[in-house]
Amino acid sequence: MISTFGNFDFLALPGRGNCGPDHWISHWCHVFPNSSRVLQAEWHNPDPKDWIARVDAAVAQAPRKVVLLAHSLAVATTVKWAAGASKGQLDKVAGAFLVAPTNVADPDPSFDTVRPFAPMPLKPLPFPALVVASRSDPRVTFDKATEFATAWGAELADAGDLGHMGNEARLGLWPDGLLLLGRLLERART
């Protein structure tokens, strides 16, 4: 499995607010020399068009097939990007690891800054995907995450009670996540 990790470039796609040093994405970017973080111009008041354009540019610039590592709002960004990307761009994606997909259509006022990303596309993704969902995530219910995974044709992994699996979770290197990523890479397109 370790050799599989070197066969792709990993594009790390943090959610709103970016990732702190204790976030699993930050740890994985340190461990995988073939990874890069897609930076956004505005982390706190995200613009869907800008975020999607930056993902598109990162995929275009990648020298090899990519695996998208998306967390939270970046899951919506990834799915929206896939819904409008060219076939050539989509062919560069080996797979997508989608963690804690924020429900951008939630009517609660705390979702106001992410609601511009609604509606969430609900059609099968053109590449292998794995959705990792927690049963105690305040940004998406487990049932809604299951609905997303089914609509996207993605495998679903139950992470248990890990909250939103972001900065506050302090998952570190997140060994269980690496095992799940390995499972996705076994199905990834080469």
Side-chain angles (χ1 to χ4, degrees):
M1 183 172 74
I2 296 298
S3 64
T4 305
F5 281 71
N7 294 337
F8 308 101
D9 289 323
F10 294 96
L11 293 182
L13 308 171
R16 187 173 164 270
N18 200 350
C19 299
D22 291 326
H23 198 290
W24 61 269
I25 282 182
S26 296
H27 283 271
W28 289 11
C29 283
H30 289 298
V31 172
F32 299 150
N34 52 329
S35 68
S36 58
R37 186 182 304 220
V38 176
L39 300 177
Q40 300 294 344
E42 177 53 62
W43 287 107
H44 297 288
N45 293 301
D47 177 299
K49 288 181 183 175
D50 185 53
W51 276 41
I52 291 165
R54 288 174 183 262
V55 170
D56 196 61
V59 171
Q61 293 170 2
R64 301 186 295 173
K65 287 234 181 198
V66 300
V67 173
L68 305 172
L69 307 173
H71 177 254
S72 189
L73 184 59
V75 174
T77 305
T78 299
V79 176
K80 289 183 93 59
W81 169 79
S86 71
K87 182 179 180 335
Q89 286 285 79
L90 294 170
D91 286 346
K92 289 189 73 175
V93 178
F97 189 74
L98 308 172
V99 178
T102 294
N103 181 6
V104 293
D106 192 304
D108 186 278
S110 68
F111 288 76
D112 286 352
T113 57
V114 300
R115 203 162 299 109
F117 287 76
M120 184 79 83
L122 296 174
K123 65 180 190 175
L125 292 168
F127 40 74
L130 188 143
V131 172
V132 183
S134 165
R135 292 190 173 268
S136 55
D137 191 336
R139 306 305 287 171
V140 66
T141 66
F142 190 79
D143 287 345
K144 186 56 125 175
T146 301
E147 179 185 320
F148 289 152
T150 300
W152 300 334
E155 182 180 354
L156 176 69
D158 184 341
D161 292 319
L162 292 180
H164 192 52
M165 296 178 276
N167 291 316
E168 297 79 26
R170 297 180 182 262
L171 296 173
L173 192 56
W174 191 25
D176 289 342
L178 288 171
L179 290 172
L180 291 171
L181 178 60
R183 198 160 89 193
L184 171 68
L185 293 181
E186 289 175 1
R187 298 183 308 127
R189 300 185 312 191
T190 53

